[in-house]
Amino acid sequence: MTKTPNITWSFLDAFRETDFSGEWPTLPEMFTITTKRFGSRPCFTDFEGENGAKQTLTYEQVLSKVQTLANWFTANGIVKGDRVAVTGKNSPEWATVYLAAMFAGATVCPIDYALANGEIENLLNTAQPRFLFVDEEKYAHFADGDFSYRVYSLSPKHTDSYAYNLASEKDFSEKRAENKVTESDLAVILFTSGTTGTPKGVMLTHKNLVSDAYIATSRMTLYETDVFYALLPIHHAYTMLAVFIESISVGAEVVFGKSMAVTRLMKELKEGQITMLLGVPLLFNKLLAGIMKGIRAKGAVVYGVIRLLLAISYVVKKMFHVNIGKKLFRAVLEQANIYSLRIAICGGGPLAASVFKVYNEMGIDFVQGYGLTETSPIIALNPVEHFKIESVGQYFFPWMEMKILDPAGDGVGEVCVKGPMVFQGYYKMEEETAKVFTEDGWFRTGDLGRLDSEGYLILAGRAKNMIVTEGGKNVYPEEIENAFQLYTDIEQITVQGYIADKAHKSEEIEALIYPSEDVFKKLGISRQGNETADSVLAHIKQIVSAVNKALQPYARISKITLLEKPLEMTTTQKVKRNYKR
């Protein structure tokens, strides 16, 4: 194990007992402290001004809006423990409602805006909020419905109910002081499902979220001059903590992205001068595929020279900790509007080591992190100065514990953790909560992995997805899927076991593949054509064959199933593994 990382949150000591009295500040206390430190600095930015113009609020301006709305909440009967729901696109209004509800003593219930209205209603029936704040596309449905909660707007198009227009002439600061939350109070309930039945709500306290935000900085130094890009949905634990809460913990700026459309993404990356880009594998794979396509278009000689320079850049960076890639490939990075990036972080799923490496070769400090909604979510992060491309990060010792439960001969077992960021349980689901904790209090993540001697976690896959072959070998679908991440001819690939021999019930490896449009362009056919199946299958088989050669014999794909339609994805762009086997 390496030496204990530095404590980066020692500045809190100057505010202890004056601005907060617990071990950790609450989220309202955190935001107040940050405003005292960096009040005139940019806080919330979007591109919703006239003709897509950039508009920014400082920390002092945001705090004023938060306190005004919090006062309105109290004037309208919100008391400690009540719930306020919010669902919509990423926006300063969304974040203001989130903070204001907590300033008023409430628990926030962020809801996935991509869900169907019926699914959102199901979550709201479980959460039972007093108020719902919703974006313009779904506003009419909820505002005109017969629900127990009062409905308000995140969009200025509905003036009377618009979040920024809600105010009370009377000052309820004394009443708000009575409802002040403590670090042990619930901050949020995050729902992991919107389907019918009883949704699973993850209960996270102020201590869970705030401790995780500060402890994560022990592996990565953040600055008030950083600019975070909230591109992935902010209701998700990953963006909520690693972008939104992380930025307001250090006084950084948040740029709210509402769409992953390429033209808008490029505009916001460039004009926002983003320094911290957090995304999922799909985002970084597509971005890199575009960059490499542009390089290949320059011809074989240029491509060969650039590949050589990339290799040299990586060796210099790893051996001498000198980043020459940023200068060597400045033109390439500027073309992709990512030259301003200081750090890129991939989470929400494992990224292929080859992708990880290329970004670092080009001069981007690119690392991976790991976590779950139940752990607030971050519990491992690669330090920029000592990253390992095969790892999702180093766990946060000494502030938390991590162990591998029942490791096999290769050291792989279930990842278990203890620490201040571990959730309080599932909302009104005591039996479900008990199932994910060991008798001595360790949270069982359901992920399989191993730890190296320095506390770096190398993931293998989800325990429930593991395939056991006839020879008793464990195969992890995620590891096979990762090998296809740079093949642009495959839009989706999902690996599963299938029964090849019913008599012996032996499992082999099947790949469900949804080809990308690139395949059809190369073959000169349409996706709907009669000649599609055989020619596309032959093309895909060539790719699978190439990947199979690099896999262990027992892990090789023996069956390919082409999909006519893509499988359903989560909001963090992971395939929902609810297909029939």
Side-chain angles (χ1 to χ4, degrees), residues 45 52 228 236 241 253 286 305 391 406 420 472 508 517:
T45 293
F228 285 74
H236 192 276
L241 191 287
E253 179 182 359
K286 286 193 172 183
V305 171
S391 170
D406 301 326
E508 292 188 18
E517 288 299 324

Side-chain angles (χ1 to χ4, degrees), residues 160-304:
D160 293 342
S161 61
Y162 178 43
Y164 281 176
N165 291 342
L166 302 177
S168 172
E169 295 181 0
K170 187 176 179 181
D171 183 4
F172 286 89
S173 54
E174 289 187 10
K175 183 68 174 176
R176 279 168 49 206
E178 294 175 10
N179 290 322
K180 184 178 179 180
V181 293
T182 67
E183 62 179 332
S184 61
D185 287 323
L186 274 189
V188 297
I189 300 174
L190 300 180
F191 291 100
T192 58
S193 172
T195 55
T196 56
T198 304
K200 190 180 288 186
V202 175
M203 299 188 293
L204 298 173
T205 65
H206 288 266
K207 180 178 180 178
N208 288 151
L209 294 168
V210 173
S211 68
D212 198 41
Y214 284 122
I215 289 172
T217 63
S218 68
R219 297 298 187 275
M220 181 174 294
T221 303
L222 303 176
Y223 303 98
E224 68 273 15
T225 52
D226 275 320
V227 182
F228 285 74
Y229 192 21
L231 180 62
L232 299 175
I234 199 171
H235 78 273
H236 192 276
Y238 176 34
T239 310
M240 183 185 302
L241 191 287
V243 178
F244 173 41
I245 296 176
E246 203 68 75
S247 63
I248 64 174
S249 75
V250 298
E253 179 182 359
V254 186
V255 173
F256 293 93
K258 290 190 175 184
S259 169
M260 287 184 69
V262 175
T263 53
R264 178 154 185 160
L265 171 65
M266 290 295 104
K267 168 186 168 68
E268 292 175 350
L269 280 172
K270 184 177 181 179
E271 296 183 21
Q273 287 295 289
I274 307 300
T275 68
M276 302 292 296
L277 178 61
L278 286 79
V280 292
L282 181 64
L283 170 65
F284 290 117
N285 287 334
K286 286 193 172 183
L287 189 59
L288 182 58
I291 292 172
M292 298 310 290
K293 184 177 181 180
I295 293 174
R296 287 192 183 94
K298 297 181 182 297
V301 175
V302 173
Y303 179 73

Side-chain angles (χ1 to χ4, degrees), residues 348-364:
L351 185 72
S354 56
V355 179
F356 193 155
K357 187 177 180 182
V358 174
Y359 276 106
N360 276 288
E361 288 173 336
M362 288 191 298
I364 299 295

Side-chain angles (χ1 to χ4, degrees), residues 340-412:
S340 64
L341 290 189
R342 191 171 70 83
I343 298 174
I345 304 174
C346 185
L351 185 72
S354 56
V355 179
F356 193 155
K357 187 177 180 182
V358 174
Y359 276 106
N360 276 288
E361 288 173 336
M362 288 191 298
I364 299 295
D365 284 332
F366 194 100
V367 297
Q368 292 193 82
Y370 165 70
L372 302 91
T373 302
E374 289 88 342
T375 58
S376 301
I378 314 172
I379 47 177
L381 190 61
N382 261 292
V384 171
E385 66 281 356
H386 186 38
F387 65 88
K388 299 184 181 184
I389 63 173
E390 72 277 11
S391 170
V392 291
Q394 185 184 49
Y395 79 87
F396 300 143
F397 64 84
W399 299 283
M400 63 165 286
E401 299 175 83
M402 180 178 288
K403 73 174 183 179
I404 304 301
L405 187 65
D406 301 326
D410 57 1
V412 173

Side-chain angles (χ1 to χ4, degrees), residues 24 36 57 59 89 107 126 162-163 166 171 210 239 247 292 300 339 348 365 426 451 470-471 515 525 538 546:
W24 298 95
K36 287 185 176 181
L57 296 171
Y59 272 86
K89 300 181 292 291
T107 297
T126 299
Y162 178 43
L166 302 177
D171 183 4
V210 173
T239 310
S247 63
M292 298 310 290
Y339 181 74
D365 284 332
Y426 298 113
L451 288 170
E470 184 180 20
I525 58 178

Side-chain angles (χ1 to χ4, degrees), residues 446-466:
D447 286 321
L448 297 171
R450 60 182 176 85
L451 288 170
D452 73 8
S453 60
E454 294 183 292
Y456 285 76
L457 176 64
I458 297 89
L459 283 183
R462 290 292 290 173
K464 64 182 180 180
N465 298 335
M466 187 176 71

